[in-house]
Amino acid sequence: MLFKSRHIFYIVLFCLSSNCLATEQQLKISKKSSMFGAALKGEIDVRKDRGVLYRKHADLGVRVNTPIDGLMLGVNYRRVYTLAEVGWLVENRPYIQLEQKVKSNNKLDWRFRLRQEFRYREEKENSQRSRFRVKLKLPHQLFNAKPFLSNEYFYDLTSHKLSQARIEAGLTFQQFKDVVPRLAFKVTGKQKSQWQTSSAIVLSIAF
């Protein structure tokens, strides 16, 4: 089983540098630590579309437990760079979020996350956006890894409409030394003049 797991991992790594599974490739590197009972997390994210780097961001935040069992409060700041004709446009995005963890009797691990974003953007109108995500971690292993599914909706509070929807499915592999790799396939729909859909292979590396 470990043999199959490694080969799947190598195949998807190859696909990250091509368009064999999706038009977009995404790499996420994150680091967690703790201080005074709070969880600290930093993240770097880069994304390519048909081999061209078009988006990148850096994120730093803190998570604290609340009096409600399994409920965590998060406060983050994200700096986003998006490629445009005039060059890289910057977005400053502070946000707050609540995430509730629920484990059912059949050992299913549910995560419900509500996020409120404040988007200060170059060359665009500033806006606010709400995001709601449901994530399910399955207890049974597949190819020596744990499967997960997630579904997220984005609601633009400025234009008062659903602006984006996302479905993601993937595998979280066993920790190797201090590294936890994860592979996922993501489909995103965005509302512009009409709904446009894109797909991406996502490699996440957590320390």
Side-chain angles (χ1 to χ4, degrees), residues 125-197:
E125 181 184 4
N126 297 332
S127 67
Q128 297 182 36
R129 184 169 68 179
S130 292
R131 297 167 56 168
F132 178 69
R133 188 189 73 179
V134 178
K135 186 174 183 179
L136 173 62
K137 296 183 178 181
L138 302 176
H140 304 294
Q141 291 198 349
L142 178 66
F143 303 117
N144 204 43
K146 291 185 177 181
F148 67 89
L149 301 167
S150 72
N151 190 10
E152 187 170 16
Y153 293 94
F154 301 65
Y155 186 82
D156 193 310
L157 295 172
T158 304
S159 58
H160 304 288
K161 67 178 182 180
L162 184 68
S163 60
Q164 192 174 152
R166 176 182 298 165
I167 298 175
E168 188 172 0
L171 299 170
T172 301
F173 292 86
Q174 293 181 355
Q175 181 172 334
F176 177 72
K177 295 185 178 180
D178 294 328
V179 178
V180 179
R182 186 180 73 180
L183 291 170
F185 180 75
K186 180 176 67 177
V187 178
T188 303
K190 294 183 179 181
Q191 173 71 287
K192 296 184 178 179
S193 57
Q194 60 184 4
W195 280 96
Q196 299 178 0
T197 304

Side-chain angles (χ1 to χ4, degrees), residues 19-203:
N19 298 327
C20 65
L21 292 179
T23 58
E24 297 184 11
Q25 302 84 37
Q26 181 177 352
L27 173 63
K28 299 172 66 174
I29 301 175
S30 61
K31 172 68 175 178
K32 292 182 179 180
S33 61
S34 60
M35 182 181 296
F36 304 115
L40 306 177
K41 182 180 178 181
E43 178 185 274
I44 296 174
D45 182 305
V46 293
R47 304 180 189 183
K48 290 184 176 182
D49 184 0
R50 296 175 176 86
V52 177
L53 179 65
Y54 76 96
R55 185 189 183 282
K56 52 189 177 180
H57 77 239
D59 192 301
L60 184 63
V62 59
R63 304 281 189 272
V64 294
N65 290 313
T66 68
I68 301 176
D69 184 38
L71 181 65
M72 294 194 73
L73 170 67
V75 179
N76 284 60
Y77 169 74
R78 176 173 294 184
R79 190 171 177 88
V80 183
Y81 298 85
T82 305
L83 187 62
E85 293 183 359
V86 296
W88 289 99
L89 299 180
V90 178
E91 175 185 336
N92 294 297
R93 187 190 299 178
Y95 62 89
I96 57 175
Q97 69 178 37
L98 288 170
E99 184 173 47
Q100 178 69 56
K101 300 180 181 180
V102 178
K103 285 196 175 182
S104 58
N105 294 332
N106 53 6
K107 297 182 180 180
L108 294 177
D109 188 351
W110 294 90
R111 308 287 177 94
F112 302 91
R113 188 183 74 187
L114 180 63
R115 177 180 292 181
Q116 179 65 41
E117 299 177 326
F118 305 89
R119 310 177 68 192
Y120 304 98
R121 304 180 291 184
E122 286 186 330
E123 305 293 333
K124 286 185 178 181
E125 181 184 4
N126 297 332
S127 67
Q128 297 182 36
R129 184 169 68 179
S130 292
R131 297 167 56 168
F132 178 69
R133 188 189 73 179
V134 178
K135 186 174 183 179
L136 173 62
K137 296 183 178 181
L138 302 176
H140 304 294
Q141 291 198 349
L142 178 66
F143 303 117
N144 204 43
K146 291 185 177 181
F148 67 89
L149 301 167
S150 72
N151 190 10
E152 187 170 16
Y153 293 94
F154 301 65
Y155 186 82
D156 193 310
L157 295 172
T158 304
S159 58
H160 304 288
K161 67 178 182 180
L162 184 68
S163 60
Q164 192 174 152
R166 176 182 298 165
I167 298 175
E168 188 172 0
L171 299 170
T172 301
F173 292 86
Q174 293 181 355
Q175 181 172 334
F176 177 72
K177 295 185 178 180
D178 294 328
V179 178
V180 179
R182 186 180 73 180
L183 291 170
F185 180 75
K186 180 176 67 177
V187 178
T188 303
K190 294 183 179 181
Q191 173 71 287
K192 296 184 178 179
S193 57
Q194 60 184 4
W195 280 96
Q196 299 178 0
T197 304
S198 62
S199 58
I201 291 293
V202 183
L203 170 62

